[in-house]
Amino acid sequence: MARIVMKFGGTSMAGTERIRNVAARVKREVDAGNQVAVVVSAMAGETDRLVGYCREASPLADPAEYDVVVAAGEQITAGLLAITLQSAGVKARSWLGWQVPFRTTAAHSVARIEDVGTDAILAGMARGEVAVVPGFQGLTDDNRVTTLGRGGSDTSAVALAAALKADRCDIYTDVDGVYTTDPRIVPRARKLSRITYEEMLELASVGAKVLQTRSVELAMKEKMVVQVLSSFSDAPGTLVVDEDDEMERMIVVGVVADRGEAKVTLVGVPDVPGVVAGIFGPLADANINVDMIVQNIAKGEGTTDVTFTVPRAQLPASLAVLETAQAGIGFKQLISDDDVAKISVVGVGMKSHAGVAATMFRALASRGINIQAITTSEIKVSVLIPQDYVELAVRVLHTAYGLDGPAADAETEA
Ligand code: ADP
Ligand code: ASP
Ligand code: MG
């Protein structure tokens, strides 16, 4: 007997038929003698719909009340799955975020899980019940509802698995594993049978949305074995684990496109000590996460230009912060561009192989794709390019690093 946490994403929970399919998969694990807790997302599109209502009500909606609204989608699917399991003859009970409870920080809309209660769920398991838990929601110390940031149900699942000391955490989604790039963009993407925590963390943090970054961080810290699988097929998925000898040695494991950032340029910034702190200090105070940063060398008149990226959704707030700080910083002009995308290549093999970045620049140049900014880490190179070129860039890089699989591998189930 194993103890398993199974997580089902929005596409898997979208409607009665699909919830029946989920119930059948859960029943299979129960019938095999396993103890099961299930974490569910809202139906596909539902969280976007709820976010839309908040924006309509007020563009600057109180984040605490935003959380009350957007946490609702997962309550519905949790109850519906419990009903569906019961009608299939499986003992099941739902536990909302506050009933578990998932204790979180008070950072509304981007809260972090601090502690997960296990008493109610373990008692239920001892009675032979499947626990059905809504992902994405939590509770502050003052008992206010929080949510964990978009894609947060993955993190709910890994946190619950760790708290329950589960044997593994299975993430069921609409593709049958982690691929060398988004299989919806590149049909010749290859499925990875195993990937290291370190590489998965980097893929997630540069924008591969198949797992939320925090879920991978947590899995790595807790040494929780995570498996990414399809809700719609029985194909073997991808195991996220520590590096081992069975792993295929690849210099680059993945290419990721992220359309979620926008570019800001400050023109004519005085080139004196402290000025960069004057730019990024106020942005940090406003909880704006700056990603790529490029500072040009000073021109003749002792000024320079500084370019950086911010989350697209925070572009208006970023511009407002910078305009307020203009007198203190002393820049001449503020330019923004949200018609950009970040393309990254990731792989631990980069630590010991030179030339990965050069291959990237050459491949993009061969198609006339202009690079606007570059950042690197030990196991990643990212570039900022015009958004129109995203698909071409991903395809060209996938080929340049020798990642293309046979075309027949391309079929995913969704
Ligand atoms: P869920 O609703 O199940 O949480 P998500 O939409 O959050 O699903 O994540 C799954 C999606 O991630 C896939 O449909 C796919 O388009 C996208 N994706 C991006 N990069 C990758 C990758 N490297 N491998 C697999 N899927 C990826
Ligand atoms: N429903 C939430 C979202 O769409 C959480 C999740 O699905 O992981 O972001
Ligand atoms: Mg997701």
Side-chain angles (χ1 to χ4, degrees), residues 210-281:
V210 59
L211 289 176
Q212 199 198 32
T213 307
R214 280 183 191 164
S215 73
V216 188
E217 243 166 40
L218 195 60
M220 186 165 165
K221 180 167 148 253
E222 300 284 344
K223 297 254 172 279
M224 178 56 58
V225 174
V226 169
Q227 198 173 185
V228 178
L229 301 152
S230 167
S231 296
F232 305 104
S233 85
D234 290 326
T238 300
L239 275 177
V240 188
V241 287
D242 269 325
E243 189 164 1
D244 62 33
D245 294 338
E246 284 176 53
M247 259 168 213
E248 198 184 334
R249 300 277 164 241
M250 298 164 81
I251 296 169
V252 167
V253 284
V255 182
V256 181
D258 181 3
R259 294 178 173 85
E261 294 186 10
K263 184 177 74 167
V264 177
T265 302
L266 297 182
V267 181
V269 179
D271 188 29
V272 293
V275 76
V276 172
I279 298 170
F280 296 111

Side-chain angles (χ1 to χ4, degrees), residues 98 115 145 182 188 217 226 240 276 300 314 320 348 352 411:
W98 64 270
D115 186 57
V145 173
D182 189 337
R188 297 178 75 130
E217 243 166 40
V226 169
V240 188
V276 172
Q314 290 183 307
V348 289
S352 50
E411 303 306 317

